[in-house]
Amino acid sequence: MMLGRRTPVVLSIMLSYITPVILFAALVLSLFMYDPPSYGTYIYPVYAKVLGIIMAVLMTAPIPLMMIYQVAQGEGTIMERIKFASKPSHEWGPAQPEHRKIYLEHTPQEFIMDQLPGADQQDH
C-alpha cells in the first residue's frame, strides 16, 4: 500500500523468512560464543553476565515463541500454517475510521492515487 504496488517476491521472502532466521541465528551464536565483558583489567561479576544474557533472551524470545505458537495453532499442512502466520490479520490497516473505509473500498494503488495532491483532477 505504501509503495503503490506489490513488493518484489525476493524482498517479501527476505523480510518474512530469511531475515528472521539470520537474526535468530545471530542471537544463538552470540550466546554460545560469549566472551565475558571486562573494562580494562576489571572483569564483571558473574551475576552481571547472567543479568545481561537474561535481558537479551527476554527481549527476543517472544518473536520465535509467537511464531511457534501461531504455526502450532493453525490448520492445514505445515507450509500452509507458516504462510498464514506470515500474513497480516484481517484487522490490519489504517487505524482512523475514515482512512480504513477508503482503504477497504480501493485497491492499494487507487488509495495512494487518492491521497496525492490534485488527485481529484486525475482520472484513474
Side-chain angles (χ1 to χ4, degrees), residues 21 25 46 57 66-67 75 96 98 105 110:
V21 168
V46 174
V57 169
M66 285 306 296
M67 181 201 69
E75 296 178 5
Q96 295 180 352
E98 62 272 10
E105 290 174 353
E110 291 172 338

Side-chain angles (χ1 to χ4, degrees), residues 55-86:
M55 287 174 52
V57 169
L58 285 178
M59 286 187 262
T60 55
I63 298 168
L65 291 177
M66 285 306 296
M67 181 201 69
I68 292 167
Y69 174 78
Q70 290 293 326
V71 170
Q73 296 297 318
E75 296 178 5
T77 66
I78 190 74
M79 285 308 293
E80 289 172 343
R81 290 189 245 169
I82 291 172
K83 285 181 184 178
F84 181 75
S86 64

Side-chain angles (χ1 to χ4, degrees), residues 1-101:
M1 184 176 138
M2 289 173 30
L3 297 175
R5 58 186 168 82
R6 295 185 70 84
T7 56
V9 174
V10 173
L11 181 61
S12 295
I13 291 171
M14 292 292 290
L15 292 174
S16 298
Y17 304 104
I18 307 298
T19 303
V21 168
I22 291 172
L23 291 174
F24 184 70
L27 171 67
V28 171
L29 286 173
S30 70
L31 293 176
F32 284 113
M33 300 176 73
Y34 180 71
D35 188 24
S38 61
Y39 185 73
T41 58
Y42 177 76
I43 298 191
Y44 289 95
V46 174
Y47 75 87
K49 299 173 199 175
V50 171
L51 183 63
I53 291 171
I54 289 172
M55 287 174 52
V57 169
L58 285 178
M59 286 187 262
T60 55
I63 298 168
L65 291 177
M66 285 306 296
M67 181 201 69
I68 292 167
Y69 174 78
Q70 290 293 326
V71 170
Q73 296 297 318
E75 296 178 5
T77 66
I78 190 74
M79 285 308 293
E80 289 172 343
R81 290 189 245 169
I82 291 172
K83 285 181 184 178
F84 181 75
S86 64
K87 292 183 180 179
S89 70
H90 295 291
E91 294 85 30
W92 182 86
Q96 295 180 352
E98 62 272 10
H99 294 158
R100 179 173 282 283
K101 182 177 181 232

